[in-house]
């Protein structure tokens, strides 16, 4: 284990909790009585996404970083239906109830931000505010992107929903596929190698059920979440939580109308593009992410 990861481990505690029949792994750290910040990672990673952000929040917040179902050390069911964001969000909600947390700032990167969105829609009482990192609405990606943008920025959103084929093509080449995914940033893969997180990510990715779980995560998005969001868009259902969106200048959202798109479904949203940065913002620009979290947290009208 690298010195960076050893230092991180000295500041957090690992836990496992069973909620609604699912075992979730999470780590905690920071101020026991401070405002709660919940960190939700994206594909194809786990809680280590936040390894550089967590230490910068420990003096101001109680931090909870969760391995989403299908990732890390959390359960990896084999059926697609288990990855319905409503189900996953309800598990996060039940975990917060188990921890006796009444309200939290929910910060999500990539897939984690999609769970955060659904959590806020279905269980707004537990959400003090939201930070989405480098995502656009599911319904926009499948319904409004040009074929060119989809092919260059969101190709895995179509490849991974194909039934049965992706897992066969990835089998025996799991490391190649993961390296390709984690090389979509300037110098990112070198960073992962140097600090030991590549080995940790690969070990997690090679666990039984991990690849299938990630694929089913995307399949559920297409077959279950997308139709739900399309219905909610027709009925003009809006998310009424103060929300900040961060995106990378060189990431998937580059040149797209980020805030205009989100204003279709969120009433109170601000945003900031982070210069010189790709998709994996918590790892590429952790100082900026931590500063945004702290400043946004101060702007929230916490109930307590």
């Amino acid at each position: 284990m690298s010195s960076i990861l050893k230092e991180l481990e000295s500041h957090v505690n690992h836990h496992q909790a069973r909620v609604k029949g699912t075992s979730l792994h999470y780590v905690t750290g920071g101020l026991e009585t401070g405002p709660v910040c919940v960190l939700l990672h994206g594909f194809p990673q786990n809680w280590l996404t936040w390894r550089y952000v967590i230490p910068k929040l420990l003096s101001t917040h109680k931090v909870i970083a969760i391995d989403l179902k299908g990732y890390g050390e959390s359960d990896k069911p084999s059926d697609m239906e288990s990855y319905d964001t409503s189900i996953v969000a309800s598990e996060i909600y039940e975990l917060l109830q188990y921890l006796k947390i009444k309200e939290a700032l929910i910060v999500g990167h990539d897939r984690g931000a999609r769970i955060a969105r659904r959590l806020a829609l279905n269980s707004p009482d537990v959400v003090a505010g939201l930070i989405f990192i480098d995502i656009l609405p599911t319904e926009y990606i499948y319904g409004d992107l040009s074929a060119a943008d989809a092919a260059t920025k969101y190709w895995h959103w179509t490849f991974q929903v194909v039934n049965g084929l992706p897992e066969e093509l990835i089998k025996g080449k799991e490391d190649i596929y993961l390296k390709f995914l984690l090389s979509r940033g300037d110098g990112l893969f070198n960073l992962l190698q140097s600090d030991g997180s590549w080995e940790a990510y690969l070990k997690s990715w090679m666990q039984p059920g991990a690849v299938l779980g990630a694929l089913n995560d995307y399949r559920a998005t297409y077959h279950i979440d997308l139709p739900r969001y399309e219905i909610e868009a027709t009925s003009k259902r809006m998310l009424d939580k103060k929300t900040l969106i961060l995106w990378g200048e060189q990431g998937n959202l580059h040149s797209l109308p980020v805030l205009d798109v989100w204003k279709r479904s969120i009433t109170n949203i601000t945003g900031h593009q982070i210069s010189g940065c790709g998709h994996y913002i918590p790892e590429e620009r952790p100082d900026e992410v931590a500063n945004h979290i702290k400043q946004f947290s101060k702007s929230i009208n916490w109930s307590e």
Side-chain angles (χ1 to χ4, degrees), residues 169-243:
L169 296 178
I170 296 170
K171 186 185 302 181
K173 301 179 178 66
E174 292 89 350
D175 57 333
I176 296 173
Y177 192 61
L178 185 64
K179 181 179 179 180
F180 181 85
L181 292 168
L182 296 178
S183 297
R184 295 176 295 164
D186 186 17
L188 175 64
F189 188 72
N190 291 335
L191 170 66
L192 303 185
Q193 284 186 304
S194 66
D195 69 10
S197 55
W198 162 247
E199 291 182 5
Y201 284 147
L202 181 59
K203 180 179 178 181
S204 175
W205 184 242
M206 296 296 293
Q207 290 181 8
V211 171
L212 180 59
L215 296 176
N216 279 333
D217 184 11
Y218 280 81
R219 289 163 181 163
T221 292
Y222 180 75
H223 292 290
I224 302 173
D225 301 330
L226 176 61
R228 181 188 296 125
Y229 278 122
E230 289 173 337
I231 292 171
E232 291 175 345
T234 300
S235 65
K236 300 189 183 303
R237 184 182 185 189
M238 301 290 287
L239 176 55
D240 188 23
K241 287 289 178 181
K242 188 171 185 179
T243 303

Side-chain angles (χ1 to χ4, degrees), residues 65-66 116 136 173 178 250:
I66 304 171
L136 285 168
K173 301 179 178 66
L178 185 64
Q250 301 167 359

Side-chain angles (χ1 to χ4, degrees), residues 22-42:
T22 296
S23 180
L24 295 179
H25 169 257
Y26 62 99
V27 300
T28 59
L31 297 177
E32 190 58 36
T33 58
V36 178
C37 179
V38 174
L39 303 173
L40 303 177
H41 66 86

Side-chain angles (χ1 to χ4, degrees), residues 130-136 241-249 253 256-263 266-275 281 288 292 296 299:
L130 295 162
I131 299 179
F132 296 162
I133 302 179
D134 218 61
I135 73 160
L136 285 168
K241 287 289 178 181
K242 188 171 185 179
T243 303
L244 170 67
I245 182 164
L246 305 174
W247 68 95
E249 179 188 24
L253 278 59
L256 296 174
V258 179
L259 290 181
D260 287 341
V261 171
W262 275 113
K263 286 176 181 177
I266 301 178
T267 59
N268 185 358
I269 188 166
T270 56
H272 180 76
Q273 177 177 274
I274 298 180
S275 62
I281 301 174
E288 291 185 55
H292 277 292
F296 188 73
S299 74

Side-chain angles (χ1 to χ4, degrees), residues 14-200:
H14 290 260
H15 311 270
Q16 205 83 23
R18 182 163 292 279
V19 291
K20 303 188 74 171
T22 296
S23 180
L24 295 179
H25 169 257
Y26 62 99
V27 300
T28 59
L31 297 177
E32 190 58 36
T33 58
V36 178
C37 179
V38 174
L39 303 173
L40 303 177
H41 66 86
F43 165 84
Q45 298 167 294
N46 54 49
W47 76 275
L48 279 177
T49 295
W50 308 103
R51 64 193 176 280
Y52 292 111
V53 175
I54 290 173
K56 303 176 190 305
L57 301 178
L58 296 178
S59 64
T60 57
H61 289 77
K62 178 181 176 66
V63 179
I64 303 171
I66 304 171
D67 280 344
L68 297 174
K69 179 165 63 181
Y71 301 89
E73 300 302 318
S74 291
D75 277 353
K76 301 168 181 63
S78 60
D79 63 301
M80 179 190 72
E81 291 76 12
S82 291
Y83 296 90
D84 176 347
T85 54
S86 282
I87 294 175
V88 180
S90 71
E91 292 165 352
I92 301 298
Y93 177 81
E94 291 299 329
L95 177 62
L96 296 180
Q97 296 301 296
Y98 167 76
L99 296 174
K100 296 181 170 54
I101 292 170
K102 296 181 179 179
E103 192 176 37
L105 167 59
I106 313 295
V107 182
H109 173 241
D110 190 82
R111 307 304 293 177
R114 302 190 185 284
I115 302 304
R117 182 189 183 190
R118 180 50 60 186
L119 176 65
L121 284 167
N122 290 7
S123 306
D125 56 301
V126 79
V127 178
L130 295 162
I131 299 179
F132 296 162
I133 302 179
D134 218 61
I135 73 160
L136 285 168
T138 297
E139 62 274 25
Y140 178 82
I141 292 173
Y142 278 119
D144 293 81
L145 278 185
S146 69
D149 278 328
T152 56
K153 299 176 180 180
Y154 288 94
W155 58 270
H156 56 297
W157 279 64
T158 53
F159 169 66
Q160 293 183 167
V161 303
V162 176
N163 186 38
L165 181 62
E167 47 266 62
E168 291 301 318
L169 296 178
I170 296 170
K171 186 185 302 181
K173 301 179 178 66
E174 292 89 350
D175 57 333
I176 296 173
Y177 192 61
L178 185 64
K179 181 179 179 180
F180 181 85
L181 292 168
L182 296 178
S183 297
R184 295 176 295 164
D186 186 17
L188 175 64
F189 188 72
N190 291 335
L191 170 66
L192 303 185
Q193 284 186 304
S194 66
D195 69 10
S197 55
W198 162 247
E199 291 182 5

